[in-house]
Amino acid sequence: MKIVLLGVLFMAFVSCNEKSGSIAVTDQDLHNAVDAVTNIMIHDIFSPPVASRIFAYPNIAAYEIVALHNSDYVSLAGQVNGLEPIPEPSPKDSINYQLAALIAHMDLSKKLIFSEEKMDVLRDSLYTTWQNQNTSVFESSKTYGLQVAEHVAAWMNKDNYAQTRTMPKFTVDSDNPERWQPTPPAYMDGIEPHWSKIRPFVIDSSEQFKPVPPPPFSMEEDSDFYKELKEVYDISNEITAKGDDSEEIKIAQFWDCNPYVSVTRGHLMFATKKITPGAHWIGIAKIASKKTNADFDKTLYAYTKTSIAIADAFISCWDEKYRSNLIRPETLINEHIDDSWKPVLQTPPFPEYTSGHSVVSGAAAIALTDIFGDNFSFDDDTEVPYGLPIRSFSSFNAAADEAAISRMYGGIHYRAAVEVGVEQGRKLGKFVMKKLNMTHSDTPVVSN
């Protein structure tokens, strides 16, 4: 009887010991969570502006927990618009702050996507692993992580997103030749016409970085506008004559990032799956973090800072898009120059000026330069899962310049939208970097 009792006590001790060890949370766990969100957004086909919001809030929730625990980082409360300090954990609770941060990230991500069950798969797998490692720490960390997620969700829900869901669709002005018209093949409505009404994170308002207007609309052949239109047509013909192996077409395809590409086969139309421009730059943040062997906290800092810049860039860009409401090259070329012409890339469903890729890339490049330094070379494998090869860059700004010009190569933007857009993004990015003080040693290293 004593032997049996000792055996039971031993097994209980072993079982208890197995669930009271340390829980290790690594930078790879964070990368996996962000990757999961990206993949779900591709599946759910979120628009580029909405996708930027989905990245930003979970990163902020997780970052705030880390900043509370790691004295190297500074809370964003009082720095981003409307964010109040997160609740303090109970002193008696044994909390793994990185674990709590990852739990908050996953919970808030789940609130922002459609396919919640796909997030549940990752979460439940991790929960089982963590609970088996240390039940007490897991439960305390989970409780706190979910508490912070609710706190950030309450702030998030005041950003006017819900209200914009019920605002009217964009009205197309068919009688005005310079105004945007829906483009083939799907002729979709203009997406997110009210995105400028979303509360920004750091910039003062959506209009703060309002760019100069585009060249005045004119179909006179000696006008600046017509010259830019003709330039799009001529470049497209020149590079398509070279074939699919031309460098310009490779650049256009690499930076396409259009989640709305429609494919028509007979009477069937379906969408191909692609990441958004913001997701591409979040992927670059991952590449830079891994190249520098950044730990969990530094990786989260990079994701958070970059995603805030991207989110504000979309608000700024969309403000201008629906103010200038400029017609796309495809429409005018088909009407006035060549009715059989098609751009290299499919034209996305919103007005032309300024180029969203250009604005977002400019802002993201400034943020990443601020974090990792100038002349940071990297191999960009973000598009490999979508059948595109790796491209190499000497710096984040060089990548941004290529992303911007890719829109002209793709035949979907005029030169002004590209050149003005990337500078709009860089100005915004520098402002955001100057305003955000996320580390005690923050020394901006952004280049001019």
Side-chain angles (χ1 to χ4, degrees):
M1 182 68 179
K2 287 183 179 180
I3 294 175
V4 173
L5 181 59
L6 286 171
V8 170
L9 291 173
F10 176 77
M11 292 301 295
F13 171 78
V14 171
S15 177
C16 181
N17 192 53
E18 285 177 349
K19 295 191 177 185
S20 60
S22 62
I23 300 177
V25 180
T26 69
D27 61 292
Q28 189 57 51
D29 293 320
L30 179 58
H31 291 314
N32 291 342
V34 173
D35 287 347
V37 175
T38 299
N39 291 332
I40 294 169
M41 285 195 290
I42 293 168
H43 176 272
D44 291 346
I45 314 181
F46 283 101
S47 71
V50 174
S52 73
R53 180 177 182 266
I54 295 172
F55 281 121
Y57 283 110
N59 284 335
I60 290 172
Y63 173 83
E64 285 300 282
I65 294 175
V66 164
L68 187 69
H69 174 67
N70 186 337
S71 60
D72 289 340
Y73 297 97
V74 179
S75 169
L76 290 167
Q79 297 195 70
V80 295
N81 297 318
L83 178 62
E84 299 292 334
I86 61 174
E88 296 272 353
S90 171
K92 62 182 176 63
D93 290 336
S94 179
I95 293 174
N96 180 319
Y97 285 86
Q98 293 171 338
L99 176 59
L102 195 54
I103 288 171
H105 191 285
M106 290 189 295
D107 185 71
L108 204 52
S109 295
K110 182 179 174 180
K111 297 178 190 296
L112 288 162
I113 57 178
F114 296 146
S115 301
E116 297 180 10
E117 71 283 355
K118 292 182 179 294
M119 201 69 200
D120 287 341
V121 173
L122 173 65
R123 181 201 64 185
D124 293 347
S125 173
L126 291 173
Y127 275 14
T128 299
T129 300
W130 294 331
Q131 191 163 29
N132 287 335
Q133 290 174 343
N134 190 313
T135 302
S136 176
V137 170
F138 166 69
E139 292 296 342
S140 296
S141 303
K142 175 185 173 184
T143 298
Y144 184 60
L146 295 178
Q147 183 184 10
V148 172
E150 287 300 321
H151 175 87
V152 174
W155 165 62
M156 174 185 76
N157 290 335
K158 297 176 183 177
D159 71 354
N160 212 35
Y161 176 79
Q163 289 80 356
T164 61
R165 302 306 90 188
T166 61
M167 292 178 183
K169 291 182 178 180
F170 179 66
T171 302
V172 175
D173 185 357
S174 301
D175 296 328
N176 192 329
E178 66 185 276
R179 301 305 179 201
W180 178 78
Q181 308 290 324
T183 50
Y187 295 94
M188 293 176 61
D189 292 331
I191 66 162
E192 299 299 339
H194 305 287
W195 200 252
S196 63
K197 300 179 179 68
I198 299 293
R199 177 189 62 203
F201 289 87
V202 178
I203 61 175
D204 300 334
S205 72
S206 62
E207 295 185 351
Q208 183 177 359
F209 291 93
K210 177 180 176 182
V212 298
F217 178 84
S218 172
M219 294 305 291
E220 296 293 329
E221 293 188 5
D222 62 345
S223 69
D224 289 339
F225 181 86
Y226 186 85
K227 289 175 183 177
E228 290 202 2
L229 174 66
K230 189 63 163 47
E231 182 183 28
V232 173
Y233 178 68
D234 291 342
I235 287 176
S236 177
N237 288 340
E238 179 183 336
I239 65 177
T240 53
K242 297 178 184 177
D244 291 343
D245 287 336
S246 76
E247 182 68 3
E248 294 90 346
I249 288 181
K250 289 178 181 178
I251 290 171
Q253 292 173 338
F254 184 79
W255 293 101
D256 186 12
C257 306
N258 180 3
Y260 289 106
V261 172
S262 300
V263 178
T264 302
R265 290 181 182 169
H267 297 292
L268 179 66
M269 178 177 285
F270 58 93
T272 59
K273 304 289 187 179
K274 293 186 180 183
I275 60 174
T276 62
H280 190 129
W281 281 98
I282 290 294
I284 293 175
K286 173 185 175 180
I287 292 166
S289 297
K290 291 176 79 70
K291 180 177 179 179
T292 57
N293 296 314
D295 61 12
F296 182 97
D297 293 1
K298 176 67 179 291
T299 298
L300 181 57
Y301 162 71
Y303 275 139
T304 304
K305 203 169 198 178
T306 305
S307 62
I308 289 173
I310 289 170
D312 271 0
F314 271 111
I315 293 171
S316 174
C317 180
W318 251 245
D319 174 69
E320 178 56 38
K321 277 189 178 294
Y322 284 95
R323 175 176 33 251
S324 54
N325 187 17
L326 186 61
I327 194 165
R328 289 277 184 169
E330 182 172 12
T331 306
L332 291 178
I333 291 172
N334 287 162
E335 287 181 359
H336 300 280
I337 300 176
D338 182 348
D339 61 5
S340 64
W341 180 85
K342 291 183 179 180
V344 171
L345 301 179
Q346 195 170 111
T347 303
F350 36 81
E352 192 272 343
Y353 188 83
T354 46
S355 157
H357 268 64
S358 303
V359 178
V360 169
S361 296
I366 291 296
L368 288 165
T369 300
D370 184 70
I371 299 162
F372 296 104
D374 207 353
N375 300 316
F376 185 100
S377 62
F378 63 97
D379 297 325
D380 187 354
D381 61 358
T382 308
E383 300 288 338
V384 168
Y386 313 103
L388 295 170
I390 295 171
R391 291 191 67 81
S392 299
F393 300 98
S394 60
S395 69
F396 301 115
N397 280 311
D401 287 337
E402 184 178 283
I405 197 63
S406 76
R407 315 315 279 164
M408 276 195 69
Y409 294 157
I412 60 176
H413 276 293
Y414 312 108
R415 182 173 293 278
V418 166
E419 295 181 348
V420 175
V422 75
E423 286 309 309
Q424 178 185 353
R426 284 184 171 130
K427 289 176 183 177
L428 180 148
K430 289 175 183 178
F431 177 84
V432 171
M433 295 306 102
K434 184 177 180 181
K435 291 278 285 187
L436 287 182
N437 174 30
M438 296 177 67
T439 71
H440 292 293
S441 58
D442 258 352
T443 303
V445 293
V446 295
S447 60
N448 292 327

